Amino acid sequence: MTGQGIPEEYLDGYARILADASATGRRLTRDELDSRRALGERAADAGHGLRALVGAHLAATRAHWPAAHAASADSALAAAEQAVDAFAEGYERAQRLAVRQEEAARREFIDDLLYGRSDLGLLAERAERFGLRLSYEHAVAVAQGADGYEEGHTVPREVERALVGRFGDRSILVTTKDGRLVCIAPGDQDEVLAYFAKQAYAATDGGRVAIGRPQPGPGGVVQSYEEALNALDLAARLELDEPVLRAADLLVYPVLTRDRQAMADLVLNTLGPLRHARGGARPLLETLTVFFDAGCVAAEAARRLALSVRALTYRLERIHQLTGADPADPVHRYTLQTAVIGARLLDWPDKEF
């Protein structure tokens, strides 16, 4: 063991190489350089720090310094430089390999976690390596921007740094999946996901963030993740403007579409007659959508549609004539509004069913 606490095995042959090279003035041979690289790799795999290893080499260089003329001293310095450089090269190569292996293991774990693959007990064991305890509740937030993001991209790194800087180690995992940013956090720490949403919105230049509900157990992460993805899909279909969506606030939509055939029947029976209007169903369907989004306030709906109130009123009357349902009647309004939501979710009338 050296004075730096480094085992002598990592300096094996160094004194002999130094003495021979300083006496002859030669450069290190290929085999000698390869042996230094191999020792560097072994030292890295064993977990020794490079600073201590270089210090051990310097100490060995002083201990075996040639006592002859200056020429041998120059040769000794050149040999020491070559040997330490080769040793550090091997060390760094081992570290790069370890990093790649760690990244591959992390990627595999994330894929298994978010797709619900692998044995749940084994998944829970692997999760602890990455700071997650899957026996607890977890919630997942997903951020989607105009661009796709992969592991190592500056955007996920920036968001992760902000979270760690704010909350430290709180069993938070920030990653990417299918070009989106993903944050997994304990279910009782909503402030973490709220802060992630704020940072991700800024980092993605106004992207959209969806937050799934906290779910328990090893399978809870994939459930919360799927809820967040479904919320993003709903937002796109319904053209929702909110930058941050919570799955808990959108539960009515999965309920409405759980029986797809029933919803399709409602859309066709209620809104199907709009296809007979001049210009087809699309303009009148848009009128209904904006009218309901405006809280059934005619003046506001007309402003959003760039119409006069009189023109809007004419359209609403035409809808009443075609469908038999009056948008201004509270009794009819619920059916119409539900059918409009169903049309948007099922992409009608662009897709027939």
Side-chain angles (χ1 to χ4, degrees):
M1 191 75 70
T2 69
Q4 283 76 23
I6 300 298
E8 295 285 354
E9 62 181 285
Y10 300 117
L11 298 171
D12 183 42
Y14 179 67
R16 177 188 54 76
I17 292 172
L18 189 66
D20 189 53
S22 60
T24 61
R26 67 173 179 82
R27 295 178 62 80
L28 273 63
T29 66
R30 177 178 295 178
D31 288 343
E32 289 170 337
L33 291 172
D34 286 344
S35 71
R36 297 305 97 193
R37 295 187 185 100
L39 287 173
E41 290 182 9
R42 286 169 50 191
D45 291 339
H48 296 291
L50 183 58
R51 182 177 179 182
L53 289 163
V54 171
H57 278 78
L58 293 176
T61 303
R62 288 195 300 271
H64 301 284
W65 188 257
H69 49 77
S72 63
D74 288 341
S75 298
L77 281 174
E81 181 182 5
Q82 278 190 280
V84 172
D85 183 67
F87 186 92
E89 180 184 346
Y91 185 96
E92 291 170 353
R93 184 166 58 194
Q95 283 203 318
R96 286 195 297 271
L97 177 60
V99 168
R100 286 197 294 271
Q101 290 174 335
E102 179 70 14
E103 289 175 347
R106 173 184 163 98
R107 187 75 263 164
E108 182 181 8
F109 164 72
I110 289 168
D111 289 344
D112 289 347
L113 180 66
L114 297 182
Y115 283 141
R117 297 194 297 243
S118 183
D119 175 78
L120 292 181
L122 180 59
L123 191 65
E125 291 179 11
R126 293 163 61 198
E128 293 189 9
R129 177 181 173 187
F130 300 98
L132 298 180
R133 303 187 68 178
L134 296 186
S135 58
Y136 300 158
E137 277 193 340
H138 285 84
V140 181
V142 180
Q144 181 171 284
D147 301 319
Y149 306 102
E150 298 300 331
E151 207 77 36
H153 192 282
T154 55
V155 167
R157 287 206 306 268
E158 177 184 337
V159 173
E160 184 172 24
R161 278 197 301 269
L163 281 171
V164 172
R166 174 74 175 269
F167 299 105
D169 183 12
R170 285 203 190 179
S171 300
I172 303 167
L173 180 62
V174 177
T175 185
T176 61
K177 186 64 183 171
D178 298 331
R180 305 181 184 95
L181 303 185
V182 178
C183 179
I184 304 168
D188 61 351
Q189 297 184 17
D190 185 67
E191 69 275 13
V192 172
L193 295 181
Y195 190 71
F196 167 81
K198 178 181 178 181
Q199 295 299 316
Y201 178 78
T204 58
D205 294 326
R208 177 173 281 153
V209 184
I211 302 175
R213 292 178 298 164
Q215 302 286 357
V221 171
V222 68
Q223 289 179 304
S224 185
Y225 173 65
E226 288 176 350
E227 284 189 347
L229 290 183
N230 289 336
L232 288 175
D233 181 60
L234 281 171
R237 288 175 177 272
L238 298 176
E239 300 177 355
L240 302 179
D241 295 330
E242 293 84 350
V244 180
L245 304 160
R246 291 184 177 271
D249 298 333
L250 302 173
L251 291 176
V252 65
Y253 298 109
V255 170
L256 291 176
T257 57
R258 188 160 294 160
D259 189 336
R260 182 183 176 88
Q261 187 56 53
M263 178 57 75
D265 290 343
L266 175 66
V267 171
L268 289 179
N269 289 333
T270 304
L271 303 177
L274 297 182
R275 289 177 295 191
H276 301 300
R278 182 181 300 174
R282 174 59 64 185
L284 294 182
L285 181 61
E286 181 187 8
T287 299
L288 280 174
T289 300
V290 175
F291 181 66
F292 292 135
D293 287 346
C296 299
V297 177
E300 175 60 20
R303 186 189 66 79
R304 295 184 186 185
L305 288 166
L307 297 173
S308 66
V309 174
R310 182 177 180 180
L312 175 71
T313 301
Y314 170 79
R315 286 192 182 186
L316 294 177
E317 289 174 352
R318 183 63 177 145
I319 290 168
H320 186 189
Q321 292 170 0
L322 290 169
T323 66
D326 183 0
D329 186 330
V331 176
H332 296 166
R333 187 181 302 159
Y334 176 77
T335 300
L336 276 173
Q337 188 165 9
T338 304
V340 167
I341 292 172
R344 294 165 77 178
L345 291 174
L346 299 179
D347 202 19
W348 185 89
D350 295 336
K351 291 182 180 179
E352 291 292 342
F353 36 80

